[in-house]
Amino acid sequence: MRLTATELSPAERALKQEVREWLDERLPEGSYPLGLGMGGAVDPEFSRDLGAQGWIGMSLPSEYGGHGRTAVDRLVVVEELLARGAPVGYHWIADRQFGPGIAANGTEWQKETFLPGIASGEYSFSIGMSEPDSGSDLASVRTRAEQVDGGWRINGTKIWTTGAYTATHIVALLRTSEDRHRGMTQFIIDRHTPGLTVSPIEFIDGTKDFCELSFVDVFVPDDRRLGEVGAGWSQNTGELALERGGVDRWMSVMALLDRWVRQEAQRPGGHAAELGALTARAWAFRGMSLAVARMVDAGQYPVTEAALIKEMATRFEQDCTDLMVRRWGRTPRPDSDDPYERLLATAVQVAPAWTIRGGTNEILRSVISKGLRKNA
Ligand SMILES: Cc1cc2nc3c(=O)[nH]c(=O)nc-3n(C[C@H](O)[C@H](O)[C@H](O)COP(=O)(O)OP(=O)(O)OC[C@H]3O[C@@H](n4cnc5c(N)ncnc54)[C@H](O)[C@@H]3O)c2cc1C
């Protein structure tokens, strides 16, 4: 494992400034519902505006509507968005992983069909991996795609599919043969395909982002197969590097933290030691995410490094939440007039999920130890 220290270049810093200025105009404080990092509100209009700025699908090739920029440029943009708790929920997954996934593994037709809509913020994608009996042991997925005339017939159930209710597409990891790892294939499925029922599951904070997907004889043409038959597991593993190593894994509470720090700075004495400790950890994660983005730009798949970031950074997010709650002075109220207090109340409810979604910490530790052993 190697995470090489790196800094932003002058051009990358200039991009940061440009994004800040645009967000000051587009999202003045109080004009939007504050969100917890990548769990920000679903706002298709904001996603389209961001797309029009060229800040979605940044690293996608320009011939397919992208901007031929780097993973580091994307990091610069999303860092600014997450720091403000911006409404990124609609386009987040398409931008983070399925745009790059389709660019890497898709056919010419798929690139022409899906990438422009991803880059413009029109398309919203969900991840269809987990099933009622397959979470950590993802290789046990049972939802089956059976080859039929002209395409595939799908039967089974996916669960915990975040954002599926408002998504335009779902990328599903499906079983196409009995071989445990080589028997899985990815498919790009339109959310409104006949036979696919999307049912929201209410989350602890009252939101209905979580969904269960029921597939009953769903027909999908072969042109929706993403990559070779049997390549789903390895494609999925590559995507997990994008899913786990980004700034989204340590910035869920950044808008809250920023507000708290500004308040503390005005109080003599304050909690300087605690703030200093958190800042040091946040800065280390920032450096690690930046190093991972540079590796992605160099054409590498930093799976172990990304797992390490997620394992450590999601615990950091939980620690920040605990500390802010302890220092808030009372139990944060979900019905408070203060939007930051409401957000902290939500954070208390959903923080346990941060070390589960995208792979639990126990599983990540196993990925890290295997990766370290392989490279020892
Ligand atoms: C907020 C949130 C959003 C999510 N969004 C999505 C999504 O969009 N798409 C999607 O496909 N999935 C999504 N998930 C599902 C998520 O990926 C799974 O919940 C996760 O992988 C764990 O699987 P499981 O829930 O089946 O738990 P299990 O796999 O049953 O695990 C239960 C417990 O056993 C432990 N455990 C299991 N196996 C081992 C082992 N070998 N060694 C040590 N400990 C082990 C786990 O760490 C965990 O603590 C989401 C989950 C959450 C909480």
Side-chain angles (χ1 to χ4, degrees):
M1 172 168 353
R2 175 179 294 174
L3 287 165
T4 308
T6 168
E7 290 289 339
L8 293 184
S9 68
E12 289 158 353
R13 279 202 295 275
L15 173 62
K16 179 179 274 294
Q17 189 54 33
E18 193 190 337
V19 178
R20 279 188 181 164
E21 285 168 14
W22 185 79
L23 286 174
D24 285 345
E25 289 254 316
R26 179 61 181 80
L27 291 182
E29 203 171 332
S31 69
Y32 62 99
L34 281 175
L36 291 166
M38 65 173 135
V42 170
D43 180 347
E45 194 183 326
F46 178 72
S47 295
R48 278 196 299 273
D49 287 353
L50 201 63
Q53 285 298 117
W55 291 337
I56 302 182
M58 293 177 75
S59 60
L60 300 179
S62 40
E63 62 268 37
Y64 304 115
H67 304 281
R69 299 185 75 157
T70 63
V72 172
D73 286 338
R74 175 178 181 270
L75 177 145
V76 166
V77 171
V78 301
E79 196 174 31
E80 292 306 314
L81 291 166
L82 300 190
R84 292 173 197 235
V88 296
Y90 186 74
H91 66 268
W92 188 260
I93 288 167
D95 179 47
R96 180 182 67 187
Q97 67 201 79
F98 290 130
I102 293 170
N105 305 307
T107 61
E108 191 56 32
W109 178 81
Q110 287 169 347
K111 290 179 199 174
E112 284 170 6
T113 304
F114 299 111
L115 296 185
I118 288 177
S120 65
E122 294 291 329
Y123 286 169
S124 174
F125 274 62
S126 284
I127 308 170
M129 294 192 305
S130 304
E131 298 185 2
D133 296 316
S134 301
S136 302
D137 184 16
L138 194 59
S140 68
V141 298
R142 286 190 304 197
T143 298
R144 178 169 291 278
E146 203 186 334
Q147 197 147 25
V148 293
D149 221 14
W152 300 79
R153 185 171 47 228
I154 303 170
N155 281 289
T157 305
K158 293 283 176 186
I159 199 164
W160 317 131
T161 321
T162 306
Y165 206 68
T166 46
T168 52
H169 300 87
I170 293 139
V171 173
L173 182 68
L174 302 177
R175 180 144 304 283
T176 44
S177 82
E178 294 314 317
D179 190 301
R180 190 169 148 80
H181 290 106
R182 293 204 184 98
M184 281 182 280
T185 307
Q186 286 185 313
F187 291 85
I188 307 167
I189 302 171
D190 287 10
R191 147 88 173 75
H192 293 289
T193 308
L196 168 58
T197 307
V198 178
S199 313
I201 303 168
E202 191 166 327
F203 203 43
I204 189 169
D205 62 348
T207 56
K208 291 182 178 158
D209 260 6
F210 254 179
C211 294
E212 183 177 274
L213 312 182
S214 158
F215 295 85
V216 178
D217 287 336
V218 171
F219 175 76
V220 174
D222 192 49
D223 60 17
R224 301 305 174 104
R225 170 170 50 80
L226 180 59
E228 296 298 318
V229 175
W233 179 259
S234 62
Q235 289 173 195
N236 201 68
T237 305
E239 280 157 21
L240 285 174
L242 303 175
E243 189 181 337
R244 291 173 173 164
V247 293
D248 38 342
R249 296 305 176 178
W250 57 272
M251 292 191 73
S252 299
V253 288
M254 208 42 71
L256 278 168
L257 208 52
D258 184 52
R259 157 81 177 271
W260 185 57
V261 169
R262 279 188 273 142
Q263 277 178 351
E264 284 299 304
Q266 287 161 11
R267 279 199 325 124
H271 299 285
E274 286 167 333
L275 280 177
L278 290 185
T279 307
R281 286 170 75 188
W283 198 242
F285 294 129
R286 203 295 184 118
M288 291 164 85
S289 292
L290 189 53
V292 160
R294 293 252 187 255
M295 291 171 83
V296 169
D297 285 334
Q300 298 168 32
Y301 287 96
V303 173
T304 311
E305 291 82 353
L308 182 76
I309 294 176
K310 183 176 177 317
E311 199 280 338
M312 294 168 71
T314 50
R315 286 188 287 115
F316 162 77
E317 295 184 315
Q318 291 175 339
D319 290 349
C320 289
T321 307
D322 284 352
L323 182 64
M324 285 187 284
V325 168
R326 270 188 279 125
R327 299 297 178 220
W328 199 262
R330 61 165 191 258
T331 304
R333 295 185 191 136
D335 58 353
S336 167
D337 290 336
D338 175 359
Y340 288 91
E341 182 171 355
R342 290 202 299 275
L343 193 65
L344 185 57
T346 304
V348 171
Q349 290 176 316
V350 305
W354 295 336
T355 48
I356 299 173
R357 62 182 178 182
T360 69
N361 277 23
E362 289 77 14
I363 295 305
L364 294 175
R365 285 174 206 140
S366 164
V367 171
I368 296 161
S369 63
K370 283 179 194 156
L372 289 175
R373 207 166 46 199
K374 206 159 74 186
N375 296 320

